[in-house]
Amino acid sequence: MKKEIDRHEFTHANAELASQTCNDSPKSAPKLAPKLAIVVPCYNEEAVVAHTYNALCQKLDSLIAQNLIAKESFLCFVDDGSRDKTCEILLSLKIPAHKLIKLTCNYGHQNALLAGLHFVKDKCDCVISIDGDLQQDINAIDEMLVKFKNGADIVYGVRKAYTNESASKKYSSFIFYKFMQIMGVKILYNHADYRLLSHRACANLLEFKEVNLFLRGIVPLVGHKSEVVYYEQGARFAGESKYPFAKMLAFALNGITSFSIAPLRLMSVLGVVLFFASICYGIYALYMKFFTTEPISGWTSTILVLLFFGGMQFLGLGIMGEYIGKIYAEVKHRPRYFVEEVL
């Protein structure tokens, strides 16, 4: 395992919600450039993966020339069971300094990213994760590295705005982040999975063993001091988004049920409210029957009440079912992914 860099050279400090100034390194200590690994999960990205590869290689060369990273820095692509020619295109490039991890089948973006982090953890001083479509601005990597050298263990890449996305994408993303925050999930607004992790932050992140992965919610739980870098969201070079509305909705549901019991509490509160409402309605019905001569028009109101209460019961059962399903998946402790080969 590679030798750890002296703590006086990289003193890990704060950022994101509250930054603190680090102690300066001793003037006599040489400032070594950190070895960087860039992890890129890919799924059916044949239209863009060659462009992504070339752009990231050029970025690495530029960073090495600026002495921001060591010349041993490398890329790590993770093929998440692509059904197109993504893997073949990457293999055709044949650059030995970089790595390609091929998973046995499609395990999902979060598991593919986790596989890459597991692989590079002990092979670098810091790791940056970025999407394969390269909509996230790679020029933000320079500022991430500067903040890392100044002491940050985690540097979040945060979108300034959705300037190159459709209106439906913008609104669905806005609803996604706001709803997650309302439900009590600690998540940074407009942050996807574009981030820098120091070696120790990455190692601590991998201590989480849960099967239902939601890394955007897990990373803040690591607790290390962090910084934020803002970038402009670019347009896709080619291909189409792998996160349509339905998948984003499922992703949000997974995040909420993995990190918050607010829906269960909401159903409990709603149950109490409906219970007292039914008592009040019952008292009103009895009063109308025995103390007035006006009959209650019965069928429509009765059916509406039954449908309402029946719908709320099924909603409550559905929410409980989601949490029970999460428990079921966790207690089985199944592997989150299998690696077919490392190329």
Side-chain angles (χ1 to χ4, degrees), residues 40 60 75 79 91 98 106 108 113 173 188 210 218 226 243 258 289 292 299 313 336:
V40 189
L60 285 184
L75 306 176
D79 179 34
L91 285 174
H98 306 303
N106 179 232
L113 176 54
S173 295
L188 195 61
E210 54 204 74
I218 294 176
S226 57
Y243 264 94
S258 295
K289 180 176 179 63
T292 67
W299 191 86
Q313 288 172 348
R336 288 172 286 194

Side-chain angles (χ1 to χ4, degrees), residues 8 24-31:
H8 291 291
D24 293 330
S25 302
K27 292 183 180 179
S28 58
K31 293 191 176 182

Side-chain angles (χ1 to χ4, degrees), residues 111-141:
N111 284 315
L113 176 54
L114 193 74
L117 294 179
H118 269 289
F119 180 78
V120 306
K121 180 190 70 171
D122 296 322
K123 299 176 176 62
C124 62
D125 302 310
C126 58
V127 54
I128 290 177
S129 58
I130 190 169
D131 290 344
D133 57 18
L134 226 58
Q135 283 188 273
Q136 297 153 334
D137 184 11
I138 60 175
N139 292 319
I141 293 176

Side-chain angles (χ1 to χ4, degrees), residues 5-7 9-15 22 25 32-36 68-70 124-128 140-156 196-202 225-229:
I5 296 177
D6 195 303
R7 288 175 61 100
E9 296 165 4
F10 294 114
T11 306
H12 298 295
N14 193 19
C22 306
S25 302
L32 303 178
K35 184 177 179 180
L36 170 68
L68 286 175
I69 59 174
C124 62
D125 302 310
C126 58
V127 54
I128 290 177
I141 293 176
D142 302 60
E143 190 177 351
M144 287 182 173
L145 289 167
V146 170
K147 290 182 181 294
F148 168 69
K149 283 191 171 185
N150 288 335
D153 273 301
I154 303 171
V155 183
Y156 298 99
L196 178 148
L197 298 172
S198 68
H199 175 270
R200 69 170 182 171
C202 183
K225 297 174 182 180
S226 57
E227 287 278 4
V228 173
V229 169

Side-chain angles (χ1 to χ4, degrees), residues 49-215:
V49 70
H51 168 74
T52 299
Y53 181 87
N54 292 328
L56 289 175
C57 283
Q58 292 174 10
K59 173 53 67 173
L60 285 184
D61 291 341
S62 172
L63 294 171
I64 292 170
Q66 298 175 62
N67 198 35
L68 286 175
I69 59 174
K71 64 180 180 179
E72 298 83 11
S73 300
F74 62 97
L75 306 176
C76 178
F77 285 83
V78 183
D79 179 34
D80 187 24
S82 296
R83 293 171 293 179
D84 61 5
K85 296 181 180 179
T86 298
C87 188
E88 288 82 350
I89 292 172
L90 287 170
L91 285 174
S92 69
L93 299 171
K94 294 182 180 178
I95 307 297
H98 306 303
K99 307 296 181 185
L100 169 61
I101 302 172
K102 183 174 174 58
L103 303 185
T104 56
C105 62
N106 179 232
Y107 292 99
H109 177 271
Q110 299 291 278
N111 284 315
L113 176 54
L114 193 74
L117 294 179
H118 269 289
F119 180 78
V120 306
K121 180 190 70 171
D122 296 322
K123 299 176 176 62
C124 62
D125 302 310
C126 58
V127 54
I128 290 177
S129 58
I130 190 169
D131 290 344
D133 57 18
L134 226 58
Q135 283 188 273
Q136 297 153 334
D137 184 11
I138 60 175
N139 292 319
I141 293 176
D142 302 60
E143 190 177 351
M144 287 182 173
L145 289 167
V146 170
K147 290 182 181 294
F148 168 69
K149 283 191 171 185
N150 288 335
D153 273 301
I154 303 171
V155 183
Y156 298 99
V158 177
R159 286 180 294 252
K160 289 182 180 179
Y162 288 89
T163 53
N164 292 289
E165 297 287 358
S166 63
S168 61
K169 180 71 173 178
K170 293 177 184 178
Y171 291 125
S172 62
S173 295
F174 175 80
I175 293 170
F176 168 77
Y177 285 104
K178 288 301 182 182
F179 188 67
M180 294 288 285
Q181 291 173 345
I182 290 171
M183 289 291 103
V185 181
K186 188 178 180 182
I187 183 173
L188 195 61
Y189 181 70
N190 263 356
H191 166 67
D193 287 300
Y194 186 27
R195 67 179 73 89
L196 178 148
L197 298 172
S198 68
H199 175 270
R200 69 170 182 171
C202 183
N204 289 343
L205 173 64
L206 296 177
E207 290 295 317
F208 288 84
K209 304 300 182 184
E210 54 204 74
V211 175
N212 299 287
L213 281 178
F214 186 70
L215 293 176

